Amino acid sequence: MGDGVSLPVPTVPAPPVGVVGLGQLGGSLAAALVAAGREVRGWDVDPAAREAAAARGVAVTRELAGVVVLAVPLPAMATALDGVDVDPAATVTDLGSVKGPVLASVGAALDGRFVGGHPMCGTERSGHEATDPALFQGARWALCLEPGTELPRWLRVAEVALAAGAEVVPVTAAAHDDAVAAVSHVPHLLAAALAAAAGEAGPLALALAAGSFRDGTRVIGSDPAFVTAMVEGNAGPTAAALDRVRAQLARPWPELVAAGHAVRTAVPGRRTVRVPLDRAALLALGRAGGAVTRRLAAFVEGWVPEP
């Protein structure tokens, strides 16, 4: 904080939040923030989505200010603000599942006003009918801190995520894309492969499919266009993560099963920490697998995992 930048403090009234795209993620965020007492405005090209949001207390308007959230599919991200009147001083963030391409398009156009974000939640359902105000409760919300990110704006977006019930993980776009390739994007491809292979096994196999097949293939019930845009938008890290999975499958099966079981059943403890409002310190928290849970005046409170 030695650069003299003025940081927002928790005692200052929070700015309004504008949500562009009122489907599952955007609609759920808007509803969660209304429940938390935030002023929320929203817009969607779908009249049904606008009507549903209005019924939940969202002020439906094209005029947005404060923190503006782009909750639209990745292919529509670059044009999401077309036809919307955004205050030139507004901070803009997004909920996209890949950060590099969004940073290169939206981020480049908005410079330091943009803060990339990705809440790690959601279901295979889509549309405003899938709105759930509790969707973000306890979820990790990756929030990008690039060299050009203005920290006061990052904090304002972090406050939005915390108000929705999430825990904030400070990351860079590159680190985010590498990490989610392993834990989100490859699982979608593996679910697709498992479902397709079971289909080739024939109707008896599908008739006998139970819990393990259901859980292993759940995410591929998502809109195929959404999944394709996600994995292709993060092609390099996803291919590298898929190579690591192939290497694991080449191990002796008992060894592979034991190794996977050990990772999946490990339950690390948590140690509470306080982190200064400093880019390097915040990113170190994220790299350690920790998260921010509370905004205080001169620092944030959070946790890091312990063995």
Side-chain angles (χ1 to χ4, degrees):
M1 295 197 310
D3 56 4
V5 173
S6 177
L7 299 175
V9 295
T11 55
V12 175
V17 179
V19 182
V20 180
L22 297 167
Q24 183 190 53
L25 285 180
S28 296
L29 177 61
L33 293 174
V34 167
R38 293 290 294 263
E39 178 187 349
V40 184
R41 307 169 188 173
W43 182 256
D44 196 294
V45 295
D46 180 5
R50 298 199 299 266
E51 183 178 347
R56 299 186 184 99
V58 177
V60 176
T61 175
R62 295 176 187 263
E63 298 181 357
L64 307 177
V67 177
V68 176
V69 183
L70 308 183
V72 299
L74 285 171
M77 201 70 74
T79 58
L81 294 178
D82 291 355
V84 181
D85 184 7
V86 177
D87 184 339
T91 296
V92 179
T93 186
D94 77 304
L95 307 183
S97 55
V98 181
K99 299 273 60 79
V102 179
L103 184 64
S105 57
V106 181
L110 296 172
D111 200 19
R113 295 173 52 211
F114 179 72
V115 180
H118 179 205
M120 299 300 294
C121 58
T123 71
E124 68 277 11
R125 300 170 62 209
S126 61
H128 68 86
E129 301 92 345
T131 292
D132 177 6
L135 186 66
F136 303 93
Q137 287 293 327
R140 305 288 118 74
W141 190 314
L143 205 56
C144 295
L145 254 179
E146 307 302 324
T149 303
E150 297 178 10
L151 188 54
R153 295 183 184 276
W154 188 91
L155 287 168
R156 280 309 192 196
V157 180
E159 290 167 355
V160 169
L162 294 171
E167 299 180 343
V168 175
V169 180
V171 294
T172 62
H176 166 275
D177 288 356
D178 283 343
V180 297
V183 298
S184 175
H185 303 172
V186 162
H188 277 81
L189 293 176
L190 295 179
L194 179 59
E200 290 179 351
L204 175 59
L206 293 176
L208 295 175
S212 60
F213 180 79
R214 180 191 64 238
D215 294 343
T217 59
R218 179 187 63 81
V219 294
I220 205 56
S222 303
D223 180 352
F226 162 80
V227 177
T228 300
M230 179 177 68
V231 296
E232 290 187 343
N234 197 28
T238 299
L242 195 57
D243 284 343
R244 292 195 295 271
V245 172
R246 292 190 182 100
Q248 289 291 334
L249 290 172
R251 298 171 70 178
W253 291 350
E255 182 182 310
L256 170 61
V257 170
H261 178 80
V263 171
R264 188 64 181 83
T265 58
V267 184
R270 289 187 175 188
R271 175 168 57 89
T272 300
V273 295
R274 286 186 172 182
V275 178
L277 300 179
D278 171 80
R279 179 177 181 273
L282 289 165
L283 288 175
L285 174 71
R287 283 194 303 271
V292 174
T293 56
R294 190 158 66 117
R295 168 75 207 283
L296 299 170
F299 49 87
V300 293
E301 191 169 86
W303 58 268
V304 292
E306 285 192 326

